[in-house]
Amino acid sequence: MNKLRTFFSNEKHYRFFIPCFAVIMGFLVGVIVMLMTGLNPKYIFTALLRAVLGINTAAIGTGKTVFNPRYIGEFFVTVMPLVLTGLSAAFAFRTGLFNIGGEGQLLVGSLCAITTAILGRGLPSFILLPMVVLAGALAGGIWGFIPGILKARFNVHEVVGTIMLNYTGLYLSNYVLKILPGSDLVRTATIPEQASLQSPLLSALTNGSRLHWGFVIVCAALFSFWFIINKTTFGYELRAVGYNPFASKYAGIKVQRNAALSMGIAGVYSGLAGVLIAVGTFSYGRVLPGFENYGFDGLVVALVGGNTAPGSLFAGLLLGSLHAAQPLMQSNGIPRDISIIIVSAIIIFVAMQNSIKFFLNHLSRSAQ
């Protein structure tokens, strides 16, 4: 009992325990719903096992191929943009802001990456590829900085600004993509190989998956998030503003400037997610009829991950596994709504963290 009280008296332990507890309870809710509707819960876990590790349990003992690394490659392709949009939302949350505009920032990042790649055709790879990545990151940063500066200068709520810019980004992207050289009403021309993140080596290692070099960008983004927040004076000021903007202003911290810069940096991460999708996963620009919800899923990743870099990676892997497993679940008669129920339940339990802390503290005290 003493060990139990010691464990729950440390705030750091809660940061690890509550997300794990929320994930377990989310899956438990999903299992209960499936049992109540006459569905077999085992198909959730067999689908997850196959989507994440490439292991087909149904093929065991049948002589068919049990392990297919292609699923692993596609799993990471799904995860990478989710981690980046999660970092985007988390960075804004650390400053006390709500960046619901990751979708628009991703779209303009993708647009500028594709435009740079097509118009820069003929340039060598060591020039064109960095230009493509920087163009997408800068475009996302500008798209995030706009609501940030509106918040700082005119007190326009960032939720309103980012939602409006989501739709602006969608329709602007569709318009520009359709007028690029070689485009039709559905997609652009294929970008030159010199501007692509695709890798024949990684594809061959994963049995023809679309795994690409974008994972290097994701690793750099995770490190940059951790370094800025935890190892710089700027990051300290951002965290201080997030905890208490009034005390921070009294202490001489430029709250408005930091709010605008925070939204701009958050936009950079979403813009990089757009780069990965455009020049990594597809190698052409797509005219989309609506949002693909990468930005909104990033909010889930940030919340479950506790607005930290390691947490965002963990939550991105979790949410990516559910997304990757959806087609396999549906092939076994499990509706995609089950995944939505699981994710929603996880969010609810994360949102209940104060109640969970109170209950656990009461439990540890009563055990004395």
Side-chain angles (χ1 to χ4, degrees), residues 49-56 65-77 202-211:
L49 190 64
R50 190 174 183 183
V52 176
L53 300 177
I55 299 174
N56 182 8
T65 303
V66 175
F67 174 69
N68 186 352
R70 186 178 190 278
Y71 286 101
I72 300 176
E74 291 297 323
F75 166 62
F76 282 107
V77 168
L202 296 177
S203 180
L205 290 174
T206 53
N207 195 24
S209 78
R210 295 174 295 174
L211 185 62

Side-chain angles (χ1 to χ4, degrees), residues 73-309:
E74 291 297 323
F75 166 62
F76 282 107
V77 168
T78 303
V79 165
M80 287 188 286
L82 292 175
V83 172
L84 288 172
T85 54
L87 291 176
S88 176
F91 201 92
F93 278 139
R94 296 300 290 266
T95 323
L97 298 173
F98 200 148
N99 180 24
I100 203 171
E103 197 74 25
Q105 295 150 17
L106 179 148
L107 287 169
V108 296
S110 175
L111 166 67
C112 289
I114 288 292
T115 302
T116 304
I118 291 177
L119 298 182
R121 191 182 299 273
L123 292 175
S125 179
F126 69 91
I127 294 178
L128 184 56
L129 185 55
M131 284 177 57
V132 167
V133 174
L134 288 174
L138 183 61
I142 292 173
W143 216 249
F145 186 75
I146 293 172
I149 198 67
L150 289 175
K151 170 78 172 181
R153 292 290 185 182
F154 306 105
N155 201 29
V156 176
H157 202 285
E158 69 275 9
V159 171
V160 176
T162 50
I163 288 176
M164 296 298 102
L165 284 173
N166 281 342
Y167 288 96
T168 305
L170 173 65
Y171 296 119
L172 175 64
S173 297
N174 285 345
Y175 174 76
V176 175
L177 289 174
K178 286 188 285 189
I179 64 174
L180 289 175
S183 299
D184 54 32
L185 296 178
V186 178
R187 51 164 286 182
T188 68
T190 302
I191 64 172
E193 184 179 349
Q194 292 86 348
S196 177
L197 288 170
Q198 292 184 349
S199 167
L201 172 63
L202 296 177
S203 180
L205 290 174
T206 53
N207 195 24
S209 78
R210 295 174 295 174
L211 185 62
H212 52 79
W213 292 113
F215 76 88
V216 176
I217 294 176
V218 175
C219 292
L222 287 165
F223 175 78
S224 68
F225 183 101
W226 171 83
F227 184 80
I228 292 172
I229 292 295
N230 296 300
K231 298 297 181 181
T232 65
T233 303
F234 176 61
Y236 173 81
E237 291 181 354
L238 291 180
R239 286 185 284 126
V241 171
Y243 286 128
N244 192 324
F246 303 105
S248 300
K249 187 174 182 179
Y250 181 78
I253 296 175
K254 297 180 180 179
V255 174
Q256 294 180 335
R257 183 203 66 179
N258 286 346
L261 290 176
S262 173
M263 289 295 291
I265 295 173
V268 168
Y269 290 125
S270 289
L272 286 173
V275 172
L276 264 59
I277 294 170
V279 304
T281 305
F282 291 102
S283 287
Y284 56 83
R286 298 167 299 143
V287 179
L288 300 173
F291 299 127
E292 294 184 301
N293 292 332
Y294 283 105
F296 303 120
D297 286 340
L299 296 172
V300 179
V301 171
L303 289 171
V304 176
N307 302 324
T308 64

